[in-house]
Amino acid sequence: MEVYSSDNQRDQTEVVKQFFANNGKALAVGAVIGIAALVGWRFWVNHQQNNALASSDHYQQLVSTLKSDNPASIQALSSFVDHEKNSYGALASLTLAKTYIDKHDLANAEKTLAQGLNDSSDPSLQAVIRLRLARVQSELKTPDAALKTLDGVKGDNWAGIAADIRGDVLLNKGDKQGAAAAWRQGMKSEVSPALKQMMQTKLNNFS
């Protein structure tokens, strides 16, 4: 057994030596690549964090100086929305859209919100943008587009608000029964007492 064990160990040693002789260069290259990938990943994470901080600071600066009667400040925020394809750009789209709505420029408000929706990957932010967009589309007399936008709202937290808006859109479209059904469904959701009372008041108007 000892002879067998000694021979077996020598065989294993030779196999290991041969393996490294044949693959040592590849292993060394692989190790270098692995280290480089790790360093690159850390650099990318730091870069992303730095970019996020810069975007946050820039966003807050633009919002603090935004004035509806100052075209330059509106243009600066619009440029930010165009170039920041992230959550800060999406947040800016909500602020910019409100400015357009205040100026009764619903077409630009719709365009800005649609852009913000495409730029955001956060489900909650997407839901808020969709709710605002649906309101604008309803005001633009495009109820079918508004209803399609509401179909994309996900999450139980937003179901009641979406139902309230859906009811308004359907009522504007002339579908009173559909509107009433939407409000009844909305009242079954987790909504604030104020919103529930508002939907109940709308329903009472049909009786």
Side-chain angles (χ1 to χ4, degrees), residues 74-185:
I74 296 175
Q75 181 56 45
L77 188 59
S78 177
S79 179
F80 182 86
V81 172
D82 289 338
H83 291 91
E84 294 292 331
K85 305 300 181 181
N86 52 38
S87 293
Y88 290 105
L91 281 171
S93 75
L94 282 167
T95 305
L96 182 60
K98 183 180 183 304
T99 302
Y100 285 136
I101 291 170
D102 292 341
K103 295 169 67 68
H104 307 290
D105 187 353
L106 296 178
N108 267 326
E110 180 186 29
K111 178 182 176 181
T112 300
L113 290 169
Q115 184 173 346
L117 184 60
N118 288 331
D119 292 342
S120 174
S121 58
D122 181 83
S124 294
L125 184 53
Q126 287 180 337
V128 172
I129 295 174
R130 286 184 185 278
L131 293 171
R132 185 74 58 82
L133 178 58
R135 286 286 193 193
V136 170
Q137 290 170 330
S138 180
E139 290 295 321
L140 285 170
K141 310 301 181 184
T142 55
D144 291 335
L147 293 173
K148 184 177 180 180
T149 297
L150 289 171
D151 287 340
V153 176
K154 306 299 181 183
D156 293 340
N157 292 337
W158 309 104
I161 301 174
D164 178 48
I165 297 174
R166 184 180 297 277
D168 292 343
V169 173
L170 289 172
L171 182 62
N172 291 338
K173 193 178 179 181
D175 184 358
K176 292 184 177 180
Q177 290 185 345
W183 290 325
R184 290 192 187 98
Q185 185 63 36

Side-chain angles (χ1 to χ4, degrees), residues 167-203:
D168 292 343
V169 173
L170 289 172
L171 182 62
N172 291 338
K173 193 178 179 181
D175 184 358
K176 292 184 177 180
Q177 290 185 345
W183 290 325
R184 290 192 187 98
Q185 185 63 36
M187 292 178 64
K188 297 177 183 178
S189 306
E190 293 293 331
V191 295
S192 68
L195 181 56
K196 183 172 290 189
Q197 181 59 47
M198 183 183 297
M199 287 188 282
Q200 183 62 63
T201 300
K202 293 175 181 179
L203 282 169

